[in-house]
Amino acid sequence: MTKKFYFSAQAVLLFVCFLAGGSSLWAQSDPGTSDDGFLVKITSPASIVQTLANDVQNCGWVGSSFGPSVTSNFCGDVVWALPDSVGCNPFPAGSLTGKIAMTRRGGCNFSLKVYHAQQAGAIAVIVTNHYTGLYDGPCLAKNADGSLFFGGMAAGDSAAAVTIPSIFIQRFTSEQIDGALKNGETVNVCFSLPKATDAAAAYHYATPVSQVDTLDHLGMRMTNRESSTLFNIGLKAVVETPGGSTTTLTATVDSVAPNANVYTYFPAYLPPAVLGKFKVTYTNDFYTAPEDTLVRYFEHTPYTFATDNLVIDPGGVANDASFADADFFVQSGALCLTNEAGGIATHATFGLANADAIYIDNPLGAENDINVYLYDMDADDDGTWDVSNDGTGTFDDLASGFVGYAVYQVNGQEGVDSLISVALDDFNNPGTFEIALKPNHPYFISLSYDGVEAGTGIMPRFSNTLDEFYLNFPSTMLHLGDYFSGWGGAIVIQRLQLKGFDPSVKTKTVPNLNVDVQLTPNPASDILRVNLDFGQMTSKATVSLMNGLGRVMNSQLLNNFQSGQLTFQVNDLPSGTYLLSIRTADGVAIRKVSVVR
């Protein structure tokens, strides 16, 4: 069955801008190389020939945030910038003329290294990692706190003076280059702008076999790197099933102006409802270099929705500096689309790589809580996604579609990247742990952590896989709060499991709290009165008013409390749906609150 997607006007505008033919794919007017989208190709010697993608992981390259963009292809021979290769002091005049200079990370800011190489005649600079950090690996550079090296090469004092492009590569690649140079071989590297990019296949990498549906957004982008307009470019997508049979889809790009690009969809494709991995190979009949053949995969699983690729990339993803900038709150989300049969959700799956670092001994309340939320993104069933979009892709009011949740309490003993599966409780029918999913419907499974109470400043390092490409809409990566479902080559593992899924390890979540809650008025406009009755004296309780993302807006701590009334001022809150959380050592209770003006 063909899926129909409807969005708010702003969301539609964002979608159209992303896909519009002739639009600029990369922000090459911005400083630096980080968003230029080129490939780095080692073309000689034959022993190390390879193509490096713009990927913070998997031995890819990372760009700079200063200097010029790469707007045309160029090549050069790589040489070490000597005498010290660090680049914090000037190199001898003319010693790097016409060369791509290679320097080492550390000692001074990146822009100073590049400026010194530029002054010595270099046409570009490759900065290499060399295990200066405790957590660095052969194909992965990390920050001092162990988080992924997302930022690329930041600008420094010399940034304004830099006029040549620069990139950062991983240790393993530089060792290959260094070995060839020591053998007296010429190492040639080309910076090459790709022509075929952004191949998209399924809406989520993994789809339960019971939810298989027509794929309407198989597509790819073609960019014209010629000096004249291209006409009638033939495109082909060959889908190979787990059993080896193939289906060929074709499309035609009518025309592409020079330095423009066009995104083109193939005809809709209904994959057979069989278990296993599908492979999609994308080609075109004009550009035939190896990098212009693209491959994507998707899988049909027994019970699992996942935007990640089901293969854990060790170490997790986090960024403590960004976490602090976001007032110690993080939330991510992953899309799950049902077919006409609908389904029943029972569990969510995620993982942590640093549970021991975020764990708090003797917690008073929610310090160790990881919140897992399930949202219905069309709660009123009007065919329009309930997205409050301000043009940036953020979602401000999700609580109206709040249908299921689990609160997982970190115990500090979780194995690194050991996956955790928690039972999801039905918000509208507590204690059933089965949530009916409507047919042909969008849902988001989400992880949320508020680190204010914990006070460690350490962000949970959620387990991840390497990146999978999705269109902005109607698939992931959709922004939730201050973060989204993946960063710089990584996608957070946040899977939704359907009925029949049996986790190998049963995990304990915070139980439902037995408490009588009366909210008046609800909807509220100025004051919300909360009448609580625990039935017996409770030593401590935290009552929090949260927005739809699970972020605390106002909180009250109760000591030696049995029953009574609390008040929350809501006159300074925007209209919308909120969540009231009552948390004690015995469990948690959540209620919806409406604020109207």
Side-chain angles (χ1 to χ4, degrees), residues 314-367:
V317 285
N319 190 311
D320 290 342
S322 296
F323 187 47
D325 291 342
D327 297 325
F328 306 106
F329 177 80
V330 60
Q331 183 171 27
S332 58
L335 176 68
C336 309
L337 288 169
T338 62
N339 66 7
E340 60 186 2
I344 297 176
T346 61
H347 291 78
T349 300
F350 66 97
L352 291 169
N354 66 338
D356 57 337
I358 64 172
Y359 173 70
I360 300 296
D361 284 323
N362 301 314
L364 297 176
E367 295 95 324

Side-chain angles (χ1 to χ4, degrees), residues 409-451:
Q409 193 168 42
V410 175
N411 59 40
Q413 302 301 310
E414 291 85 353
V416 175
D417 289 322
S418 295
L419 294 185
I420 300 163
S421 293
V422 294
L424 292 171
D425 201 1
D426 187 338
F427 177 79
N428 298 305
N429 191 12
T432 60
F433 298 98
E434 291 189 356
I435 303 167
L437 304 179
K438 302 171 186 175
N440 297 315
H441 223 71
Y443 291 87
F444 279 92
I445 188 68
S446 174
L447 303 176
S448 175
Y449 175 79
D450 193 326

Side-chain angles (χ1 to χ4, degrees), residues 102 128 131 138 169-180:
M102 190 159 73
T128 178
Y131 293 158
I169 65 172
Q170 308 292 354
R171 172 64 180 255
F172 180 77
T173 309
S174 67
E175 286 176 337
Q176 292 179 305
I177 295 173
D178 180 58

